[in-house]
């Protein structure tokens, strides 16, 4: 599912909201999740799952084209842990 499909489904289920309102709502939700993760906070959506960040240590990688060693800096990456309800729905 892509963002526009999500907007269309939410708009269809809420006919009293305009498409622009639904687009704004979806954008605000995603922006708030992104901002919280950027600040190092955890975002939990009960029944769905939790978003957090994990630290990756610096390492030496390889350029796949040339095989040359490349320094890869430490970074934070997003991590998602599905909730119990989501796992149960996926597994029948």
């Amino acid at each position: 599912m892509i963002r526009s499909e999500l907007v269309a489904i939410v708009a269809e289920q809420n006919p009293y909201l305009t498409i622009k309102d639904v687009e704004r709502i979806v954008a605000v939700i995603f922006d708030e999740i992104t901002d919280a993760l950027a600040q190092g906070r955890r975002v939990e959506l009960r029944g769905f799952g939790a978003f957090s960040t994990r630290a990756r240590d610096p390492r030496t990688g390889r350029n796949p084209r040339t095989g040359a060693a490349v320094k890869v800096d430490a970074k934070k990456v997003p991590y998602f842990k599905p909730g119990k309800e989501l796992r149960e729905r996926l597994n029948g």
Side-chain angles (χ1 to χ4, degrees), residues 23-64:
E23 287 173 347
R24 199 171 314 130
I25 290 167
V26 170
V28 167
I29 291 170
F30 289 157
D31 289 344
E32 288 301 315
I33 291 172
T34 303
D35 291 345
L37 291 175
Q39 294 172 11
R41 298 190 341 241
R42 182 173 185 263
V43 177
E44 182 176 338
L45 304 172
R46 299 282 174 159
F48 183 71
F51 296 92
S52 59
T53 57
R54 296 227 169 142
R56 295 268 171 95
D57 294 331
R59 62 185 175 86
T60 301
R62 297 249 172 238
N63 180 332

Side-chain angles (χ1 to χ4, degrees), residues 9-26:
I9 291 169
V10 173
E12 181 181 304
Q13 293 179 0
N14 298 282
Y16 52 88
L17 293 173
T18 66
I19 295 287
K20 282 191 173 199
D21 289 339
V22 174
E23 287 173 347
R24 199 171 314 130
I25 290 167
V26 170

